Amino acid sequence: MAIKEKKVQNYGENPIEVRDSDHYQNEYIEGFVEKWDELINWQARSTSEGEFFIKTLKEHGADRVLDAATGTGFHSIRLIEAGFNVASVDGSVEMLVKAFENATRKDQILSTVHADWRWLTRDVQERFDAVICLGNSFTHLFSEEDRRKALAEFYSVLKHDGILILDQRNYDLILDEGFKSKHTYYYCGENVKAEPEYVDDGLARFRYQFPDESVYHLNMFPLRKDYVRRLLHEVGFQDVTTYGDFQETYHQDDPDFYIHVAKKD
Ligand code: SAM
């Protein structure tokens, strides 16, 4: 009988030196992903997001949607339930397996594609009305070249009037206010505690603590909002609107997240 070895997160001797776009493959290990899904109640997540993505997609007449960062399937499944026709992409096989299982439990069959964003058109030839890249996923790319490559691939799988919806954590706040005023983010009440453990211009290392005291990390690139908006324009998107925490009036308060809606045409 084959014994399955349990994966552990491995950042080597100097975790803050791990700044590599391929490292996401080793970060979303089973224990972390399962705990996250178990504690972050999908119903609560749907409620907090509201109808923002569904409404935006409908306003743009989207039907065929590519979920570029499927993860455990939250958005893919929600969009299928809302009547969209979804292709679910992720660069991690483990994540796609988990998403497929989650969908099966809800009587849905996911149409999954294993692909890295940077070489998306190698595996995806079809054109879509919309591409979504949500849940602070774009932050996993560590070089500007990789970011440009991924955005250019998203651009090219869109139909001429397609839209890209991409979200990001508000890193400006963390970078500008500095490490001393670091913010703790609580998900699902007090259940999951996330805080930046180390921050510089090229790395935001977050520590995630669960109620059973287990601790996981993610190394991410701290994307500035205006930098992402500039990149989107530079790869060819014509019109970029940025929302804060699902509202357009973000300049009044500091939101935790930004959502960019970029039009190809
Ligand atoms: N969108 C989901 C959500 O909100 O629950 C999952 C978000 S999770 C933070 C990020 C996902 O992006 C992971 O499933 C990871 O495997 C995927 N990912 C990161 N870098 C990638 C890349 N270069 N190509 C494809 N997938 C990537």
Side-chain angles (χ1 to χ4, degrees):
M1 192 176 76
I3 297 173
K4 203 175 156 205
E5 222 174 279
K6 238 186 153 114
K7 269 197 189 172
V8 286
Q9 284 189 319
N10 182 3
Y11 289 94
E13 297 211 331
N14 194 358
I16 64 168
E17 287 305 312
V18 180
R19 297 162 186 234
D20 170 10
S21 298
D22 293 317
H23 195 70
Y24 75 95
Q25 296 278 4
N26 306 311
E27 288 181 308
Y28 292 104
I29 57 160
E30 211 179 336
F32 185 17
V33 168
E34 261 165 21
K35 274 213 177 80
W36 190 267
D37 251 8
E38 202 180 284
L39 291 166
I40 308 289
N41 176 291
W42 281 24
Q43 190 53 49
R45 205 175 158 188
S46 291
T47 309
S48 88
E49 261 184 29
E51 296 292 305
F52 182 86
F53 298 119
I54 291 172
K55 211 172 125 244
T56 305
L57 289 168
K58 284 192 176 152
E59 269 167 20
H60 288 90
D63 167 47
R64 185 79 174 123
V65 180
L66 183 140
D67 181 359
T70 297
T72 58
F74 174 76
H75 290 107
S76 286
I77 295 167
R78 186 145 192 236
L79 292 185
I80 293 170
E81 286 173 349
F84 294 93
N85 199 335
V86 183
S88 303
V89 170
D90 203 285
S92 154
V93 176
E94 281 98 333
M95 289 303 241
L96 288 176
V97 169
K98 188 86 185 123
F100 196 85
E101 282 169 12
N102 282 339
T104 311
R105 250 181 268 123
K106 290 176 176 279
D107 294 324
Q108 305 287 352
I109 301 283
L110 280 199
S111 157
T112 57
V113 182
H114 179 220
D116 190 288
W117 307 326
R118 292 164 287 175
W119 302 281
L120 190 61
T121 48
R122 205 164 62 182
D123 301 291
V124 175
Q125 277 80 41
E126 200 192 323
R127 297 292 170 261
F128 292 80
D129 300 313
V131 171
I132 59 169
C133 182
L134 302 176
N136 197 33
S137 297
F138 194 63
T139 187
H140 285 291
L141 296 173
F142 273 90
S143 73
E144 174 149 329
E145 192 192 342
D146 285 339
R147 276 173 229 126
R148 284 184 186 277
K149 238 155 114 173
L151 291 180
E153 292 286 288
F154 293 162
Y155 184 92
S156 78
V157 298
L158 283 171
K159 291 182 189 159
H160 74 95
D161 56 351
I163 55 163
L164 167 67
I165 310 181
L166 184 148
D167 73 2
Q168 61 164 109
R169 187 181 281 289
N170 179 357
Y171 289 111
D172 290 74
L173 195 68
I174 300 170
L175 290 167
D176 293 339
E177 293 206 347
F179 190 51
K180 38 184 197 319
S181 59
K182 65 180 182 173
H183 188 69
T184 303
Y185 303 86
Y186 292 98
Y187 298 95
C188 214
E190 299 276 301
N191 265 342
V192 186
K193 191 175 154 194
E195 55 190 345
E197 190 180 84
Y198 174 88
V199 181
D200 67 27
D201 280 350
L203 177 72
R205 179 170 165 81
F206 266 66
R207 177 183 195 275
Y208 296 85
Q209 189 175 332
F210 293 92
D212 65 0
E213 302 296 309
S214 58
V215 170
Y216 295 89
H217 288 88
L218 286 180
N219 277 17
M220 299 171 284
F221 181 84
L223 295 159
R224 284 198 177 269
K225 176 190 67 175
D226 288 340
Y227 167 72
V228 176
R229 288 175 53 83
R230 176 164 63 77
L231 280 187
L232 285 163
H233 281 294
E234 284 176 8
V235 301
F237 287 98
Q238 295 298 305
D239 180 65
V240 181
T241 307
T242 302
Y243 300 84
D245 283 339
F246 316 112
Q247 281 152 37
E248 211 172 351
T249 52
Y250 64 82
H251 49 273
Q252 288 164 15
D253 299 293
D254 289 320
D256 281 348
F257 271 85
Y258 290 118
I259 302 112
H260 308 283
V261 179
K263 288 189 194 163
K264 183 164 179 169
D265 218 21

